[in-house]
Amino acid sequence: MSSYAKNTRATVVPCLRYRDAPKAIEWLCEVFGFEKQLVVPNDDGSIAHAQLSFGNGMVMLGSVSKVANEFGRLTTQPDQIGGLETQSPYLIVSDADSVYRRAKAAGATIEIEIKDEDYGGRGFSCRDLEGHLWNVGTYDPW
């Protein structure tokens, strides 16, 4: 193990921003099966910070802010840059077909149809309600 990594459940936690974070939290829980671990609302109903668990993993998310971040930049959403993403979370699931059906029923845009992979596993890629790219599959790299 890297000497920099803390000895904890998961050492990589993706962080996302949503315009309508409360709606995104409900969508992610309903469609992908995340569970709310912590949700901290702001006075205006937006989300200051949320932690959604998934097995031994987690994502953190919050509402997009009109205030510049610590680097002096505003958060850019995928639809503002033609749907481009430079990273995307991968969820390891036991039944990719079931999650695929729920994602389609919830209006997710399917980017890569469900299929068996040459390297093992079965999966698909889709965009959530605000255009973030998610990869879902049964392949376990561990």
Side-chain angles (χ1 to χ4, degrees):
M1 180 184 285
S2 166
S3 61
Y4 298 113
K6 183 176 181 176
N7 185 12
T8 187
R9 287 178 78 174
T11 57
V12 178
V13 179
C15 300
L16 301 160
R17 294 283 176 201
Y18 288 90
R19 286 186 190 95
D20 189 343
K23 185 175 179 181
I25 290 168
E26 296 306 319
W27 195 93
L28 293 168
C29 290
E30 176 68 27
V31 175
F32 292 148
F34 279 98
E35 295 180 4
K36 298 174 196 172
Q37 185 198 46
L38 174 68
V39 178
V40 181
N42 289 312
D43 291 338
D44 65 1
S46 64
I47 301 299
H49 176 78
Q51 296 170 193
L52 305 181
S53 62
F54 187 83
N56 66 351
M58 173 184 294
V59 296
M60 294 189 296
L61 65 91
S63 294
V64 170
S65 173
K66 294 184 186 199
V67 178
N69 64 19
E70 64 271 23
F71 305 110
R73 299 184 187 112
L74 296 174
T75 304
T76 303
Q77 295 300 93
D79 65 345
Q80 294 174 300
I81 53 174
L84 300 175
E85 289 274 11
T86 59
Q87 60 182 338
S88 59
Y90 177 71
L91 300 178
I92 302 169
V93 300
S94 57
D95 183 353
D97 290 276
S98 174
V99 179
Y100 174 82
R101 287 189 297 274
R102 285 198 315 270
K104 279 192 83 160
T109 301
I110 304 300
E111 295 291 343
I112 299 175
E113 285 292 333
I114 193 158
K115 63 180 179 171
D116 294 321
E117 298 293 352
D118 294 338
Y119 52 83
R122 181 168 175 76
F124 68 98
S125 295
C126 69
R127 292 191 183 272
D128 66 23
L129 71 170
E130 288 197 17
H132 293 285
L133 185 62
W134 291 82
N135 304 289
V136 180
T138 59
Y139 177 73
D140 184 348
W142 294 107

